[in-house]
Amino acid sequence: MAATAGTPGTPRVLRAMNDRAALDLLLAHGPLSRTRIGKLTGLSKPTASQLLARLEAAGLVRATGTSEGRPGPNAQLYAIDPGVAYAAGLDVTPHRIRAAVADITGRTVGAYELPTPGRRPAQPVVRQVTDALDGAVKAAGLVRSDVHRLVIGTPGAFDPGTGRLRYASHLPGWHSPALLDDLAAALPMPVEYENDVNLAAVAEQRLGAARGHDDFVLLWNQEGLGAALVLGGRLHRGWTGGAGEVGFLPVPGAPLVRQVTKANSGGYQELAGTQALPGLARELGISDVPPGPHAEAATRLVARAADHADGPHRELLRAYATRLATGLASLVSVLDPELVVLGGSALTAGGEVLRALVQAELAELAAARPRLVVGEVREHPVLRGALESALAATRDEVFDTSR
C-alpha cells in the first residue's frame, strides 16, 4: 500500500484508523489536549500533532480554548466541530409523529411534534413525514438539505422482501406499496426504517441499561407489547422484520386469538398489554382507575401501585408481574439472554418494585436466569434510538478520512 503524503511510511488505512479513534475519544470525553489524545490513543506527540492538524484541516475538529487549573502552561484543547453534519429521527405512532435533529456530537438541536389524530389521515403520509421533519429542521435553524441521514421508527416493520409495513394494521396510511418510493422521492437524504421497540433497544445499548451487553432482550409495554432481540451485538429482525412481535404470542391465561394480524393482537397482548390493566384493577377492587388512553391510564396505575406496600394496589402489581413473566418465560427459554431490560412507560413506572416481582416470577417459570433491569432512557427512547442509529451511520461516513 502506498504511503500517505505528509506521513512517510504510514499506510492510509492506519492513519484513518487513528483519526477515527481520536474522533471517538473526543465524542466520549469532550474537549481534549494533544497530550491527552496521544496518551489515550498510544500515539507519540508528533503523530498526535499531525493527526490533529489533519482533522482540523478537514473541518472535523476545532480549537476550543485552553485547559485551566492545572500546573504548568495551559494546553490547547480540541473538540469535534458539532456542525460537521446533522442527522434526524422520527418516532411515528397512530396519534403523532415526533421529530428531532441532532448535530454530529449527539446533541439535539431541534425538535417538533405533529399530531396525527383520526383513523384516516388528514394528510398523506409523505406530507406528514416532511412536515414533521421540516418542523424539527426549522427549530434547529437549518434547512432540510443539511440533514445527512434520517431514521424513521414505526410500530411493526417494513418487510424487506415486499417493502410493505407489516404487524401494524393500526397505523393508518402507512400500508401503501408505493410508500417507500414516494418518501425516497420527497426526501433528499438517505432514509432508513426501523421497528420502534428495536430503536428503544438501540438507545438502551448506546446510552442506558444495556451498555456493554451484546446479548439482551428489551421487553416493551406502552402503546403495545413487544420485544427487541439483540444477539451477538446486533439486532435480530427476522425474515420479514417480525422478530420480537411477542404481543401475538399465545400464552396460558388468555384465550387463543386466531387471525392475529387482523385482530392486531394476540394472547400475550390481551393478558399483559396496557389495555388489560384497568379491568384487572377493577376486578381487584380498585375504584379510582385513571381515565384516558389505556397506555396513560396503565402507566399511572402501575406508578401508583408501586407506592403501596400492601392492599389491592400491591395485588395489582403482583398479578401484573405474573402476567408479564408468563410470556417472558417463553422468550428467555428460547433465547437464554444475559440481560432483560424492562422498557416502555407501563414497565418503567413500576421501577425496582415491579422489576423484583417479575424477576421472582420468572425464576419460578423458566430455567434460564437472565438478570432483569429497568430501562434508563426515559425521555423519548424511540426517538433517541432513531437519532443514535442515524448518527452512527453518519459518523461512519463523515469520520472516514481515508476517502
Side-chain angles (χ1 to χ4, degrees):
M1 182 180 294
T4 302
T7 54
T10 304
R12 180 182 287 111
V13 66
L14 181 58
R15 185 191 71 171
M17 289 171 63
N18 288 337
D19 290 348
R20 180 60 192 263
L23 290 165
D24 286 341
L25 286 168
L26 289 169
L27 279 175
H29 296 281
L32 295 172
S33 67
R34 178 197 64 184
T35 301
R36 184 66 176 150
I37 289 173
K39 287 182 178 179
L40 291 170
T41 57
L43 300 174
S44 67
K45 285 185 179 181
T47 303
S49 295
Q50 292 171 356
L51 178 151
L52 284 168
R54 285 196 308 271
L55 295 180
E56 195 169 13
L60 294 173
V61 304
R62 64 186 185 186
T64 59
T66 58
S67 61
E68 296 179 359
R70 295 181 180 181
N74 292 340
Q76 179 67 61
L77 296 177
Y78 295 87
I80 290 176
D81 185 343
V84 165
Y86 298 90
L90 263 63
D91 172 17
V92 179
T93 76
H95 313 296
R96 53 105 185 114
I97 299 177
R98 187 177 284 132
V101 175
D103 65 30
I104 198 68
T105 70
R107 182 175 67 94
T108 299
V109 294
Y112 184 77
E113 186 167 315
L114 177 73
T116 55
R119 288 181 171 271
R120 293 185 178 180
Q123 296 177 330
V125 164
V126 172
R127 177 69 182 275
Q128 292 179 7
V129 167
T130 54
D131 283 356
L133 176 62
D134 287 344
V137 166
K138 182 178 179 181
L142 303 170
V143 295
R144 195 189 291 180
S145 59
D146 290 326
V147 176
H148 197 89
R149 182 174 294 268
L150 171 65
V151 171
I152 299 176
T154 69
F158 284 91
D159 188 325
T162 66
R164 299 191 67 167
L165 186 67
R166 300 185 63 172
Y167 315 108
S169 59
H170 61 302
L171 196 62
W174 282 77
H175 299 87
S176 164
L179 178 61
L180 298 189
D181 289 338
D182 292 344
L183 284 168
L187 296 167
M189 75 291 291
V191 184
E192 295 178 9
Y193 303 88
E194 186 60 87
N195 169 262
D196 51 0
V197 183
N198 283 351
L199 290 176
V202 169
E204 291 292 347
Q205 189 176 35
R206 300 274 174 83
L207 307 170
R211 277 174 295 188
H213 293 277
D214 286 338
D215 288 272
F216 71 94
V217 167
L218 173 75
L219 183 67
W220 177 268
N221 201 9
Q222 195 161 294
E223 299 291 342
L225 185 62
L229 319 176
V230 177
L231 309 174
R234 300 173 65 88
L235 280 167
H236 178 70
R237 296 178 177 87
W239 182 249
T240 62
E245 294 289 344
V246 295
F248 297 123
L249 191 68
V251 293
L256 195 61
V257 179
R258 298 186 184 274
Q259 296 186 339
V260 293
T261 52
K262 286 186 178 180
N264 199 40
S265 188
Y268 196 22
Q269 178 69 43
E270 295 299 315
L271 185 72
T274 53
Q275 82 279 7
L277 282 175
L280 178 60
R282 294 186 186 96
E283 289 175 14
L284 293 170
I286 298 173
S287 58
D288 55 338
V289 175
H294 59 75
E296 296 176 14
T299 299
R300 290 196 291 269
L301 269 173
V302 171
R304 188 189 303 166
D307 290 334
H308 288 71
D310 51 27
H313 285 90
R314 180 47 59 94
E315 287 302 313
L316 171 65
L317 212 60
R318 288 196 184 96
Y320 182 38
T322 299
R323 292 182 176 204
L324 289 167
T326 299
L328 193 55
S330 296
L331 203 55
V332 303
S333 296
V334 172
L335 296 174
D336 188 23
E338 175 189 5
L339 186 76
V340 174
V341 180
L342 302 179
S345 61
L347 291 176
T348 58
E352 175 59 24
V353 178
L354 178 61
R355 186 214 64 80
L357 289 170
V358 177
Q359 181 89 70
E361 283 294 272
L362 190 61
E364 297 282 337
L365 299 176
R369 292 289 186 273
R371 183 166 63 93
L372 268 64
V373 296
V374 180
E376 295 176 0
V377 182
R378 304 293 180 87
E379 186 175 358
H380 310 320
V382 174
L383 183 60
R384 188 68 245 175
L387 287 173
E388 288 297 317
S389 182
L391 284 166
T394 299
R395 290 167 182 158
D396 284 345
E397 294 174 7
V398 175
F399 289 172
D400 184 358
T401 58
S402 68
R403 297 188 177 189

